[in-house]
Amino acid sequence: MSRVYNFSAGPAVLPEQVLKEAAVEMLDYQGSGMSIMEMSHRSDIIEGMMAEAERDLRDLLNIPANYKVLFLQGGASQQFAAVPMNLMKNRVADYLNTGQWSKKALQEGRLYGKINVIASSEDQNYSYIPGLKNLKVSEEADYVYLCHNNTIFGTRFTELPDVGEKPLVADMSSDFLAGPIDVGRFGLIFAGAQKNVGPAGVVIVIIREDLIADNVLPGTPTMLKYKTHAAHNSAYNTPPVYGIYICGKVFKWLKKIGGLEVMQEINELKASLLYDYLDDSRLFKGTVVKRDRSLMNVPFVTGDADLDAKFIKEGEARGLVNLKGYRTIGGMRASIYNAMPLAGVKALVAFMKEFEGKEA
Ligand SMILES: *Cc1c(COP(=O)(O)O)cnc(C)c1O
């Protein structure tokens, strides 16, 4: 067996330690004689596992007591609808349009109310984060929405907008747990697990309790009401047990390496190795404004599509896989999530240098 360095944007690399533990426990979870996938979600074992996962997540992020943690299904994309259905009282919301995922979210929001795009970087193909100084939050807005890390374009928010009393809603699918955040600044955070936290099939929602309401938009399905899941500890119906179990192991892994401050330092080190090289390279160029560069997703190009293809192919042959850029953008993208080891980034940079020596 040999493992590759997997730079996929998602589903993405998981910590090897987590996969090994899951393999050991596959046939017999904690002496039960069963896999964790074969048990009732009402059993003590599963309830205990889910409660522990929540506790560890609360520890990692210092989640205040007046926030609920939900483990749901439907992916981040379903939250694009759940957020307006639950939070729109005036049927107005403000969105920051900084990439394909925020655009999809705001388009979905338009099914339910009036969406004001109060900032956008679409004019420059989303290669930067718009200035937040003169942001005009609409008086009637029920919430302000942003995508914290733009997976496809490789930008991230390094500051948050001042939204006054309005709830700030953030899609953190691709940088959830990449470093500490102040949960208290947000009304609602959601993250699909398959980028930085676990397998596909789980979406984590952290929501301030006062936003969990009964008076949601008419026609909101029971399953899309935050109230439903908050009232039943994410087990109103069968939760995605196996996915939550893996997420729980990733939380333990993060605690073991020293928590999110340490994780952030490692992420900064990995990203700077790659960006410093890109800044000096005669062949490869980053595609994003320096100030706004993501620590998780690093897009780059040579400027020559044939050369890009050659690079991707040769990389693959050496076990550096999934470096192809997003289908509508081209070039390359290296996703270097929490679980990508430093050695993987070093191997990538060494290969890029060698390729540059040959081709530039
Ligand atoms: C991948 C991604 C999504 C979509 O996630 P699904 O779980 O496939 O719906 C949404 N937002 C961001 C930021 C993403 O990276």
Side-chain angles (χ1 to χ4, degrees):
M1 185 207 67
S2 86
R3 300 257 306 157
V4 293
Y5 289 124
N6 175 12
F7 295 94
S8 170
V13 58
L14 285 165
E16 208 165 285
Q17 182 59 34
V18 166
L19 298 175
K20 282 182 176 153
E21 279 175 29
V24 167
E25 292 174 350
M26 183 60 80
L27 296 179
D28 178 6
Y29 182 68
Q30 292 190 353
S32 63
M34 286 178 266
S35 145
I36 196 162
M37 280 179 274
E38 301 170 296
M39 293 176 193
S40 164
H41 54 294
R42 309 282 174 214
S43 63
D44 290 347
I45 291 190
I46 299 293
E47 284 183 359
M49 179 278 288
M50 285 179 62
E52 192 168 332
E54 177 176 339
R55 266 200 311 278
D56 286 336
L57 181 60
R58 284 184 176 278
D59 282 355
L60 282 167
L61 278 174
N62 275 317
I63 301 176
N66 63 326
Y67 284 72
K68 284 268 192 247
V69 173
L70 309 174
F71 296 100
L72 307 179
Q73 305 192 54
S77 300
Q78 190 162 82
Q79 295 304 309
F80 298 169
V83 165
M85 287 181 131
N86 283 269
L87 267 48
M88 271 187 177
K89 308 295 174 220
N90 304 321
R91 295 212 183 225
V92 181
D94 288 354
Y95 279 65
L96 284 73
N97 178 16
T98 59
Q100 187 159 311
W101 294 117
S102 40
K103 188 159 187 190
K104 282 199 169 158
L106 74 90
Q107 284 167 341
E108 190 74 8
R110 284 192 174 127
L111 298 174
Y112 304 100
K114 179 163 176 271
I115 302 298
N116 303 309
V117 177
I118 57 168
S120 173
S121 53
E122 196 172 7
D123 60 337
Q124 305 270 341
N125 199 28
Y126 297 118
S127 57
Y128 68 102
I129 296 291
L132 302 176
K133 288 274 173 309
N134 299 315
L135 209 61
K136 280 228 164 35
V137 174
S138 318
E139 212 166 291
E140 343 68 273
D142 293 305
Y143 59 88
V144 180
Y145 181 104
L146 59 80
C147 178
H148 201 248
N149 181 78
N150 296 285
T151 326
I152 293 171
F153 295 94
T155 60
R156 62 158 173 161
F157 282 84
T158 51
E159 308 176 309
L160 295 173
D162 177 6
V163 296
E165 296 298 300
K166 305 285 185 198
L168 183 59
V169 174
D171 175 357
M172 290 200 185
S173 294
S174 52
D175 66 347
F176 191 62
L177 305 183
I181 49 164
D182 180 0
V183 174
R185 295 279 309 264
F186 300 89
L188 188 154
I189 293 166
F190 66 88
Q194 73 273 19
K195 308 286 165 59
N196 210 20
V197 184
V202 187
V203 57
I204 296 170
V205 175
I206 302 173
I207 180 172
R208 212 173 61 210
E209 274 169 356
D210 62 286
L211 298 173
I212 302 172
D214 258 328
N215 62 333
V216 297
L217 293 189
T220 300
T222 307
M223 279 294 290
L224 288 191
K225 280 172 71 171
Y226 294 125
K227 182 93 191 261
T228 303
H229 300 288
H232 294 88
N233 293 323
S234 306
Y236 167 74
N237 70 325
T238 318
V241 171
Y242 197 77
I244 297 167
Y245 156 82
I246 297 290
C247 290
K249 288 198 177 297
V250 172
F251 302 156
K252 291 262 188 250
W253 175 79
L254 284 164
K255 286 178 91 169
K256 206 163 157 197
I257 64 172
L260 299 187
E261 280 85 7
V262 175
M263 192 67 251
Q264 175 155 308
E265 278 171 30
I266 298 171
N267 284 329
E268 280 169 357
L269 175 64
K270 287 187 292 181
S272 67
L273 273 183
L274 194 44
Y275 284 125
D276 288 350
Y277 167 66
L278 283 172
D279 289 341
D280 286 344
S281 173
R282 284 169 299 127
L283 182 64
F284 297 103
K285 272 185 292 296
T287 58
V288 164
V289 169
K290 254 189 189 179
R291 189 191 62 213
D292 301 324
R293 295 197 286 207
S294 168
L295 296 180
M296 300 278 100
N297 311 98
V298 183
F300 56 96
V301 296
T302 63
D304 173 342
D306 292 338
L307 208 52
D308 288 350
K310 187 168 184 220
F311 173 79
I312 291 160
K313 193 159 167 245
E314 289 184 15
E316 227 166 73
R318 302 180 171 220
L320 304 169
V321 310
N322 290 321
L323 283 167
K324 200 169 186 306
Y326 191 75
R327 52 197 151 84
T328 57
I329 297 183
M332 281 71 72
R333 173 177 49 172
S335 294
I336 50 174
Y337 295 118
N338 285 353
M340 171 58 64
L342 181 60
V345 178
K346 284 185 173 163
L348 174 61
V349 171
F351 169 56
M352 289 169 80
K353 281 183 184 160
E354 190 188 315
F355 191 84
E356 176 173 337
K358 253 185 349 183
E359 304 286 346

